[in-house]
């Protein structure tokens, strides 16, 4: 492998590795929070949760 | 000094120690893959209770309604379910023309059953809906009673009823969002899914203040946590939530 | 090694390799699908399959990306590097199967063209509307281009440096795929193990690459000493040469390989294999030729040509030995295939 390839690989992983990790963590931390609420009046009795 | 074992791809046999190394490396990779397969398959947990009786076309008879969405009030309930949503194949709602033409008539049709723990639906074979005329038991010719339960605020997720009730399982959340949007845009009835702290779900059919379809106005709010104000009505088996789409608000993170 | 283009230059190693590869992929799919069918019986079959193909593909991608740095750290991994392109094509096929299933399941049968739907249905600027499907599609395009150009035909016609640059886009595909997974399925399948596995993959690959780079950092230090005759550079002492063991050096960023052979002959050729620019100085002298450690391409040391019937050739360098027993190499290379009288010690 030529030297310029190795330099590019180094750069890739100094940039892309952290970038990928940041994307992963950001997406995990910013997931939407799903609300819960007590049953409303008059609806059918709910059955087993999935 | 003897050189280290050298691999030449086009030779039929590599040096023995290299072969051993490659064998161990291969086993390592395979074991790694098997572990990943097992773990990621076991952690799957968003499956719902919906089922799709694909390939099993049955006949249904009952009263056809066009409001609030095309429905069949079946002569033969399945379990405690008597009210069936009607939809067409793929990502299309039931034909509004057919619904208008056969509203309040006794009909027979062919279709495939879709149901979960709460609700049921029929994917209708197009052109299979036939009116049976006006004879029949007057009692079942009347639409089910509808009662108002007052104004309320609900919080949950808007999904398309067809996928969620069983054609796609899971039919909720982000991976399904694009499909839900296309289905609702195609006329599939939108429902609000709520859940309580034990994970039990409830469904609310979403319609406009006067019961009109609001599919196109809610596309932006599908598969996200939302809060909606509206009026709750009970219509036969169904919870029907009459809303002004402008009142839909996304819940803050 | 081909004088003409064959579809695949099958040999026993490649056949064994590919059989093991196919069986391993089938095993992965069987485990994932089997467990899914047992534990999630209501999970829609297309979705289970879609997930199986996807996770198989991305797991294989991690294996593929690990092989390069592993081979730098320990030469015993080189046999796996030899057939890496077969892994790549297999991974693309798995990714394609996933994509086709996803597009058919989620995007067909609607009011929009399916491909258009992939890009516009679920698109917006907020967290819940990140168009993860588009990220996946772009990654698939990159993987397709790589699979389609994986044959040596393209390597030759695009030239090795261009081909290699094109294939570096696998790293772009990798980041796109992390985004596709993180903003897609991980938004609903939120088990901590899933994110942890993905994170471990990223960290593992990053660590491997950086460690390989660090451990190899001195290889390409340039020769600094110019000889009295300024056309020549001093590479090493005669005593540094070991018979039949190539010695590598770097001249103005270009690699060369010096060889002592047949008892007293010293020749110098380019250290860059003509095939894929592999490191010839890290190869071995076999069958009278300097042999590349990547795919076994061979060159005669005195003129840089491949043995009959092969036609590859590499540049050669004039060599002389001065009265201080130092090996001097002429800085300017000769055209590929130029014979040079070996220096004698």
């Amino acid at each position: 492998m030529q030297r310029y390839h190795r330099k590019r690989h180094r750069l890739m992983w100094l940039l892309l590795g952290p970038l990928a990790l940041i994307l992963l963590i950001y997406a995990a931390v910013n997931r939407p929070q799903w609300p819960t609420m007590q049953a409303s009046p008059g609806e059918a009795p709910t059955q087993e949760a999935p | 000094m003897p050189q280290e074992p050298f691999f030449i791809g086009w030779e039929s046999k590599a040096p023995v120690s290299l072969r051993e190394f490659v064998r161990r490396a291969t086993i390592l990779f395979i074991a790694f893959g098997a572990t990943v397969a097992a773990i990621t398959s076991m952690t799957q947990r968003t499956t719902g209770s919906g089922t799709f009786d694909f390939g099993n076309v049955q006949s249904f008879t009952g009263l056809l309604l066009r409001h609030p969405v095309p429905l069949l009030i079946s002569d033969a309930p399945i379990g405690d379910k008597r009210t069936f949503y009607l939809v067409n194949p793929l990502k299309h709602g039931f034909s509004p023309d057919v619904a208008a033409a056969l509203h309040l008539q006794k009909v027979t049709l062919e279709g495939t059953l879709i149901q979960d723990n709460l609700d049921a639906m029929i994917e209708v074979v197009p052109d299979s809906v036939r009116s049976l005329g006006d004879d029949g038991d007057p009692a079942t010719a009347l639409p089910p009673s509808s009662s108002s339960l007052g104004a309320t605020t609900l919080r949950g997720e808007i999904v398309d009823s067809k996928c969620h009730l069983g054609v796609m399982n899971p039919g909720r959340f982000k991976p399904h969002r694009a499909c839900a949007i296309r289905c609702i845009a195609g006329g599939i009835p939108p429902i609000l899914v709520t859940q309580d702290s034990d994970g039990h779900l409830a469904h609310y059919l979403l319609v406009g203040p006067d019961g009109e379809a609001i599919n196109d106005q809610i596309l932006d709010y599908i598969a996200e946590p939302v809060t909606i104000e509206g009026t709750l009505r009970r219509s036969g088996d169904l919870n029907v939530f009459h809303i002004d789409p402008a009142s839909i608000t996304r819940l803050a993170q | 090694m081909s004088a003409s283009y064959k579809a695949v230059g099958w040999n026993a190693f490649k056949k064994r390799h590919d059989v093991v590869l196919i069986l391993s992929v089938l095993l992965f799919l069987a485990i994932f699908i089997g467990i899914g069918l047992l534990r999630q019986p209501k999970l829609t079959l297309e979705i289970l399959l879609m997930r199986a193909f996807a996770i198989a593909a991305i797991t294989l991608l991690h294996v593929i990306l690990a092989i390069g740095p592993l081979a730098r750290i320990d030469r015993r991994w080189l046999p796996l590097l030899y057939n890496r392109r077969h892994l790549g094509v297999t991974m693309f096929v798995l990714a394609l199967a996933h994509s086709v299933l996803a597009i058919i399941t989620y995007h067909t049968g609607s009011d929009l063209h399916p491909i258009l739907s992939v890009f516009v249905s679920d698109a917006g600027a907020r967290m819940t509307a990140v168009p993860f499907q588009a990220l996946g599609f772009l990654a698939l395009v990159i993987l397709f281009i790589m699979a389609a150009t994986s044959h040596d035909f393209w390597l030759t016609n695009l030239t090795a440096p261009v081909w290699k640059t094109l294939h570096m886009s696998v790293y772009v595909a990798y980041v796109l795929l992390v985004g596709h997974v993180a903003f897609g399925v991980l938004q609903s399948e939120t088990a901590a193990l899933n994110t942890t596995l993905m994170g471990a993959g990223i960290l593992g690959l990053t660590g491997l690459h950086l460690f390989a780079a660090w451990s190899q950092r001195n290889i390409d230090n340039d020769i600094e000493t110019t000889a009295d005759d300024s056309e020549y550079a001093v590479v090493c002492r005669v005593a540094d040469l070991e018979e039949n063991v190539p010695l590598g050096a770097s001249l103005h960023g270009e690699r060369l390989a010096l060889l002592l052979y047949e008892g007293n002959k010293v020749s110098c050729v380019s250290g860059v294999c003509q095939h894929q620019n592999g490191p010839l100085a890290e190869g071995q002298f076999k069958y009278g030729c300097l042999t590349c450690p990547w795919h076994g391409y061979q060159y005669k040391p005195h003129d840089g040509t491949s043995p009959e019937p092969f036609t590859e050739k590499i540049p050669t360098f004039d060599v002389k030995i001065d009265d201080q027993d130092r090996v001097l190499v002429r800085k300017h290379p000769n055209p590929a295939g130029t014979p040079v009288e070996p220096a004698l010690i």
Side-chain angles (χ1 to χ4, degrees), chain B residues 205-230:
Chain B
L205 172 63
L206 292 178
V207 295
D210 299 316
E212 71 276 29
I214 50 168
N215 293 37
D216 292 334
Q217 287 114 289
I218 62 173
L219 294 179
D220 256 358
Y221 297 96
I222 292 169
E224 311 187 49
V226 292
T227 179
I228 318 179
E229 292 162 12

PDB file of all heavy atoms in Angstrom, chain B residues 205-230:
ATOM      1  N   LEU B 205     -59.990   5.729  16.594  1.00  0.00           N
ATOM      2  CA  LEU B 205     -60.068   6.133  15.189  1.00  0.00           C
ATOM      3  C   LEU B 205     -60.091   7.658  15.130  1.00  0.00           C
ATOM      4  O   LEU B 205     -60.838   8.307  15.845  1.00  0.00           O
ATOM      5  CB  LEU B 205     -61.351   5.556  14.574  1.00  0.00           C
ATOM      6  CG  LEU B 205     -61.712   6.013  13.165  1.00  0.00           C
ATOM      7  CD1 LEU B 205     -60.639   5.570  12.170  1.00  0.00           C
ATOM      8  CD2 LEU B 205     -63.074   5.434  12.768  1.00  0.00           C
ATOM      9  N   LEU B 206     -59.262   8.239  14.281  1.00  0.00           N
ATOM     10  CA  LEU B 206     -59.170   9.696  14.194  1.00  0.00           C
ATOM     11  C   LEU B 206     -59.984  10.213  13.018  1.00  0.00           C
ATOM     12  O   LEU B 206     -59.755   9.833  11.872  1.00  0.00           O
ATOM     13  CB  LEU B 206     -57.702  10.107  14.031  1.00  0.00           C
ATOM     14  CG  LEU B 206     -56.784   9.863  15.232  1.00  0.00           C
ATOM     15  CD1 LEU B 206     -55.354  10.269  14.893  1.00  0.00           C
ATOM     16  CD2 LEU B 206     -57.278  10.639  16.458  1.00  0.00           C
ATOM     17  N   VAL B 207     -60.891  11.104  13.303  1.00  0.00           N
ATOM     18  CA  VAL B 207     -61.690  11.750  12.252  1.00  0.00           C
ATOM     19  C   VAL B 207     -61.820  13.226  12.590  1.00  0.00           C
ATOM     20  O   VAL B 207     -61.474  13.667  13.692  1.00  0.00           O
ATOM     21  CB  VAL B 207     -63.089  11.120  12.129  1.00  0.00           C
ATOM     22  CG1 VAL B 207     -62.994   9.672  11.670  1.00  0.00           C
ATOM     23  CG2 VAL B 207     -63.851  11.217  13.457  1.00  0.00           C
ATOM     24  N   GLY B 208     -62.332  13.998  11.631  1.00  0.00           N
ATOM     25  CA  GLY B 208     -62.500  15.427  11.849  1.00  0.00           C
ATOM     26  C   GLY B 208     -63.689  15.717  12.769  1.00  0.00           C
ATOM     27  O   GLY B 208     -64.402  14.802  13.177  1.00  0.00           O
ATOM     28  N   PRO B 209     -63.910  16.998  13.084  1.00  0.00           N
ATOM     29  CA  PRO B 209     -64.971  17.372  14.015  1.00  0.00           C
ATOM     30  C   PRO B 209     -66.350  16.821  13.609  1.00  0.00           C
ATOM     31  O   PRO B 209     -67.141  16.448  14.471  1.00  0.00           O
ATOM     32  CB  PRO B 209     -64.968  18.906  13.984  1.00  0.00           C
ATOM     33  CG  PRO B 209     -63.614  19.273  13.497  1.00  0.00           C
ATOM     34  CD  PRO B 209     -63.153  18.159  12.594  1.00  0.00           C
ATOM     35  N   ASP B 210     -66.600  16.791  12.294  1.00  0.00           N
ATOM     36  CA  ASP B 210     -67.892  16.274  11.835  1.00  0.00           C
ATOM     37  C   ASP B 210     -67.779  14.858  11.297  1.00  0.00           C
ATOM     38  O   ASP B 210     -68.610  14.415  10.510  1.00  0.00           O
ATOM     39  CB  ASP B 210     -68.466  17.202  10.754  1.00  0.00           C
ATOM     40  CG  ASP B 210     -68.700  18.601  11.298  1.00  0.00           C
ATOM     41  OD1 ASP B 210     -69.238  18.696  12.419  1.00  0.00           O
ATOM     42  OD2 ASP B 210     -68.320  19.572  10.619  1.00  0.00           O
ATOM     43  N   GLY B 211     -66.769  14.179  11.682  1.00  0.00           N
ATOM     44  CA  GLY B 211     -66.613  12.791  11.252  1.00  0.00           C
ATOM     45  C   GLY B 211     -65.963  12.634   9.895  1.00  0.00           C
ATOM     46  O   GLY B 211     -65.871  11.525   9.370  1.00  0.00           O
ATOM     47  N   GLU B 212     -65.485  13.752   9.309  1.00  0.00           N
ATOM     48  CA  GLU B 212     -64.887  13.656   7.969  1.00  0.00           C
ATOM     49  C   GLU B 212     -63.467  13.123   8.043  1.00  0.00           C
ATOM     50  O   GLU B 212     -62.826  13.153   9.089  1.00  0.00           O
ATOM     51  CB  GLU B 212     -64.923  15.039   7.279  1.00  0.00           C
ATOM     52  CG  GLU B 212     -63.967  16.069   7.857  1.00  0.00           C
ATOM     53  CD  GLU B 212     -64.497  16.811   9.080  1.00  0.00           C
ATOM     54  OE1 GLU B 212     -65.311  16.236   9.837  1.00  0.00           O
ATOM     55  OE2 GLU B 212     -64.083  17.966   9.286  1.00  0.00           O
ATOM     56  N   ALA B 213     -62.997  12.633   6.897  1.00  0.00           N
ATOM     57  CA  ALA B 213     -61.626  12.099   6.838  1.00  0.00           C
ATOM     58  C   ALA B 213     -60.621  13.244   6.961  1.00  0.00           C
ATOM     59  O   ALA B 213     -60.822  14.323   6.400  1.00  0.00           O
ATOM     60  CB  ALA B 213     -61.410  11.357   5.523  1.00  0.00           C
ATOM     61  N   ILE B 214     -59.562  13.017   7.724  1.00  0.00           N
ATOM     62  CA  ILE B 214     -58.533  14.050   7.909  1.00  0.00           C
ATOM     63  C   ILE B 214     -57.151  13.522   7.530  1.00  0.00           C
ATOM     64  O   ILE B 214     -56.123  14.062   7.941  1.00  0.00           O
ATOM     65  CB  ILE B 214     -58.494  14.548   9.374  1.00  0.00           C
ATOM     66  CG1 ILE B 214     -58.439  13.347  10.327  1.00  0.00           C
ATOM     67  CG2 ILE B 214     -59.687  15.431   9.684  1.00  0.00           C
ATOM     68  CD1 ILE B 214     -58.110  13.750  11.750  1.00  0.00           C
ATOM     69  N   ASN B 215     -57.138  12.454   6.716  1.00  0.00           N
ATOM     70  CA  ASN B 215     -55.860  11.784   6.415  1.00  0.00           C
ATOM     71  C   ASN B 215     -54.757  12.744   5.999  1.00  0.00           C
ATOM     72  O   ASN B 215     -53.644  12.707   6.524  1.00  0.00           O
ATOM     73  CB  ASN B 215     -56.063  10.725   5.322  1.00  0.00           C
ATOM     74  CG  ASN B 215     -56.934   9.582   5.809  1.00  0.00           C
ATOM     75  OD1 ASN B 215     -57.877   9.764   6.559  1.00  0.00           O
ATOM     76  ND2 ASN B 215     -56.607   8.369   5.383  1.00  0.00           N
ATOM     77  N   ASP B 216     -55.050  13.608   5.037  1.00  0.00           N
ATOM     78  CA  ASP B 216     -53.980  14.440   4.492  1.00  0.00           C
ATOM     79  C   ASP B 216     -53.477  15.487   5.478  1.00  0.00           C
ATOM     80  O   ASP B 216     -52.362  15.983   5.336  1.00  0.00           O
ATOM     81  CB  ASP B 216     -54.445  15.114   3.203  1.00  0.00           C
ATOM     82  CG  ASP B 216     -54.637  14.103   2.089  1.00  0.00           C
ATOM     83  OD1 ASP B 216     -53.963  13.046   2.149  1.00  0.00           O
ATOM     84  OD2 ASP B 216     -55.447  14.345   1.185  1.00  0.00           O
ATOM     85  N   GLN B 217     -54.322  15.830   6.481  1.00  0.00           N
ATOM     86  CA  GLN B 217     -53.878  16.895   7.393  1.00  0.00           C
ATOM     87  C   GLN B 217     -52.988  16.380   8.520  1.00  0.00           C
ATOM     88  O   GLN B 217     -52.451  17.175   9.284  1.00  0.00           O
ATOM     89  CB  GLN B 217     -55.077  17.609   8.027  1.00  0.00           C
ATOM     90  CG  GLN B 217     -55.816  18.509   7.059  1.00  0.00           C
ATOM     91  CD  GLN B 217     -57.209  17.971   6.822  1.00  0.00           C
ATOM     92  OE1 GLN B 217     -57.373  16.953   6.171  1.00  0.00           O
ATOM     93  NE2 GLN B 217     -58.199  18.640   7.363  1.00  0.00           N
ATOM     94  N   ILE B 218     -52.893  15.078   8.673  1.00  0.00           N
ATOM     95  CA  ILE B 218     -52.137  14.580   9.827  1.00  0.00           C
ATOM     96  C   ILE B 218     -50.838  13.875   9.446  1.00  0.00           C
ATOM     97  O   ILE B 218     -50.153  13.331  10.308  1.00  0.00           O
ATOM     98  CB  ILE B 218     -52.994  13.614  10.673  1.00  0.00           C
ATOM     99  CG1 ILE B 218     -53.389  12.399   9.834  1.00  0.00           C
ATOM    100  CG2 ILE B 218     -54.232  14.319  11.214  1.00  0.00           C
ATOM    101  CD1 ILE B 218     -54.086  11.328  10.630  1.00  0.00           C
ATOM    102  N   LEU B 219     -50.496  13.905   8.144  1.00  0.00           N
ATOM    103  CA  LEU B 219     -49.336  13.131   7.671  1.00  0.00           C
ATOM    104  C   LEU B 219     -48.057  13.498   8.402  1.00  0.00           C
ATOM    105  O   LEU B 219     -47.168  12.668   8.581  1.00  0.00           O
ATOM    106  CB  LEU B 219     -49.161  13.310   6.162  1.00  0.00           C
ATOM    107  CG  LEU B 219     -50.276  12.741   5.293  1.00  0.00           C
ATOM    108  CD1 LEU B 219     -49.988  13.004   3.820  1.00  0.00           C
ATOM    109  CD2 LEU B 219     -50.444  11.248   5.532  1.00  0.00           C
ATOM    110  N   ASP B 220     -47.952  14.746   8.795  1.00  0.00           N
ATOM    111  CA  ASP B 220     -46.732  15.212   9.450  1.00  0.00           C
ATOM    112  C   ASP B 220     -46.557  14.704  10.876  1.00  0.00           C
ATOM    113  O   ASP B 220     -45.499  14.895  11.472  1.00  0.00           O
ATOM    114  CB  ASP B 220     -46.750  16.741   9.511  1.00  0.00           C
ATOM    115  CG  ASP B 220     -45.837  17.343   8.474  1.00  0.00           C
ATOM    116  OD1 ASP B 220     -45.184  16.572   7.747  1.00  0.00           O
ATOM    117  OD2 ASP B 220     -45.779  18.569   8.408  1.00  0.00           O
ATOM    118  N   TYR B 221     -47.619  14.096  11.428  1.00  0.00           N
ATOM    119  CA  TYR B 221     -47.566  13.758  12.860  1.00  0.00           C
ATOM    120  C   TYR B 221     -47.565  12.257  13.115  1.00  0.00           C
ATOM    121  O   TYR B 221     -47.763  11.810  14.225  1.00  0.00           O
ATOM    122  CB  TYR B 221     -48.764  14.385  13.579  1.00  0.00           C
ATOM    123  CG  TYR B 221     -48.748  15.892  13.507  1.00  0.00           C
ATOM    124  CD1 TYR B 221     -49.478  16.574  12.522  1.00  0.00           C
ATOM    125  CD2 TYR B 221     -47.989  16.634  14.392  1.00  0.00           C
ATOM    126  CE1 TYR B 221     -49.436  17.954  12.443  1.00  0.00           C
ATOM    127  CE2 TYR B 221     -47.955  18.013  14.330  1.00  0.00           C
ATOM    128  CZ  TYR B 221     -48.671  18.670  13.345  1.00  0.00           C
ATOM    129  OH  TYR B 221     -48.634  20.026  13.264  1.00  0.00           O
ATOM    130  N   ILE B 222     -47.339  11.518  12.075  1.00  0.00           N
ATOM    131  CA  ILE B 222     -47.447  10.065  12.189  1.00  0.00           C
ATOM    132  C   ILE B 222     -46.210   9.485  12.854  1.00  0.00           C
ATOM    133  O   ILE B 222     -45.097   9.950  12.638  1.00  0.00           O
ATOM    134  CB  ILE B 222     -47.680   9.464  10.788  1.00  0.00           C
ATOM    135  CG1 ILE B 222     -49.071   9.907  10.314  1.00  0.00           C
ATOM    136  CG2 ILE B 222     -47.567   7.957  10.794  1.00  0.00           C
ATOM    137  CD1 ILE B 222     -49.335   9.630   8.871  1.00  0.00           C
ATOM    138  N   ALA B 223     -46.406   8.458  13.661  1.00  0.00           N
ATOM    139  CA  ALA B 223     -45.312   7.714  14.304  1.00  0.00           C
ATOM    140  C   ALA B 223     -44.438   8.588  15.178  1.00  0.00           C
ATOM    141  O   ALA B 223     -43.230   8.375  15.268  1.00  0.00           O
ATOM    142  CB  ALA B 223     -44.473   6.975  13.266  1.00  0.00           C
ATOM    143  N   GLU B 224     -45.049   9.602  15.795  1.00  0.00           N
ATOM    144  CA  GLU B 224     -44.326  10.429  16.759  1.00  0.00           C
ATOM    145  C   GLU B 224     -45.191  10.565  18.004  1.00  0.00           C
ATOM    146  O   GLU B 224     -46.401  10.461  17.928  1.00  0.00           O
ATOM    147  CB  GLU B 224     -44.105  11.837  16.203  1.00  0.00           C
ATOM    148  CG  GLU B 224     -43.556  11.886  14.811  1.00  0.00           C
ATOM    149  CD  GLU B 224     -43.209  13.301  14.397  1.00  0.00           C
ATOM    150  OE1 GLU B 224     -42.531  14.000  15.169  1.00  0.00           O
ATOM    151  OE2 GLU B 224     -43.605  13.714  13.298  1.00  0.00           O
ATOM    152  N   PRO B 225     -44.576  10.852  19.154  1.00  0.00           N
ATOM    153  CA  PRO B 225     -45.400  11.093  20.351  1.00  0.00           C
ATOM    154  C   PRO B 225     -46.171  12.392  20.196  1.00  0.00           C
ATOM    155  O   PRO B 225     -45.574  13.439  19.977  1.00  0.00           O
ATOM    156  CB  PRO B 225     -44.363  11.209  21.473  1.00  0.00           C
ATOM    157  CG  PRO B 225     -43.084  10.687  20.913  1.00  0.00           C
ATOM    158  CD  PRO B 225     -43.143  10.922  19.434  1.00  0.00           C
ATOM    159  N   VAL B 226     -47.496  12.315  20.266  1.00  0.00           N
ATOM    160  CA  VAL B 226     -48.320  13.511  20.105  1.00  0.00           C
ATOM    161  C   VAL B 226     -49.368  13.590  21.194  1.00  0.00           C
ATOM    162  O   VAL B 226     -49.706  12.575  21.834  1.00  0.00           O
ATOM    163  CB  VAL B 226     -49.040  13.535  18.723  1.00  0.00           C
ATOM    164  CG1 VAL B 226     -48.055  13.704  17.590  1.00  0.00           C
ATOM    165  CG2 VAL B 226     -49.879  12.278  18.542  1.00  0.00           C
ATOM    166  N   THR B 227     -49.868  14.780  21.392  1.00  0.00           N
ATOM    167  CA  THR B 227     -51.012  14.981  22.275  1.00  0.00           C
ATOM    168  C   THR B 227     -52.094  15.675  21.467  1.00  0.00           C
ATOM    169  O   THR B 227     -51.810  16.565  20.663  1.00  0.00           O
ATOM    170  CB  THR B 227     -50.606  15.778  23.539  1.00  0.00           C
ATOM    171  OG1 THR B 227     -51.769  15.969  24.345  1.00  0.00           O
ATOM    172  CG2 THR B 227     -50.018  17.131  23.192  1.00  0.00           C
ATOM    173  N   ILE B 228     -53.321  15.214  21.620  1.00  0.00           N
ATOM    174  CA  ILE B 228     -54.419  15.720  20.795  1.00  0.00           C
ATOM    175  C   ILE B 228     -55.642  15.980  21.687  1.00  0.00           C
ATOM    176  O   ILE B 228     -55.992  15.142  22.522  1.00  0.00           O
ATOM    177  CB  ILE B 228     -54.833  14.696  19.718  1.00  0.00           C
ATOM    178  CG1 ILE B 228     -53.620  14.033  19.068  1.00  0.00           C
ATOM    179  CG2 ILE B 228     -55.715  15.361  18.667  1.00  0.00           C
ATOM    180  CD1 ILE B 228     -53.973  12.988  18.018  1.00  0.00           C
ATOM    181  N   GLU B 229     -56.302  17.120  21.455  1.00  0.00           N
ATOM    182  CA  GLU B 229     -57.577  17.398  22.132  1.00  0.00           C
ATOM    183  C   GLU B 229     -58.711  17.083  21.181  1.00  0.00           C
ATOM    184  O   GLU B 229     -58.611  17.356  19.981  1.00  0.00           O
ATOM    185  CB  GLU B 229     -57.668  18.888  22.494  1.00  0.00           C
ATOM    186  CG  GLU B 229     -56.692  19.311  23.560  1.00  0.00           C
ATOM    187  CD  GLU B 229     -56.512  20.829  23.552  1.00  0.00           C
ATOM    188  OE1 GLU B 229     -57.300  21.527  22.882  1.00  0.00           O
ATOM    189  OE2 GLU B 229     -55.563  21.287  24.200  1.00  0.00           O
ATOM    190  N   GLY B 230     -59.781  16.546  21.709  1.00  0.00           N
ATOM    191  CA  GLY B 230     -60.912  16.266  20.837  1.00  0.00           C
ATOM    192  C   GLY B 230     -62.091  15.743  21.633  1.00  0.00           C
ATOM    193  O   GLY B 230     -62.098  15.776  22.866  1.00  0.00           O
TER     194      GLY B 230
END
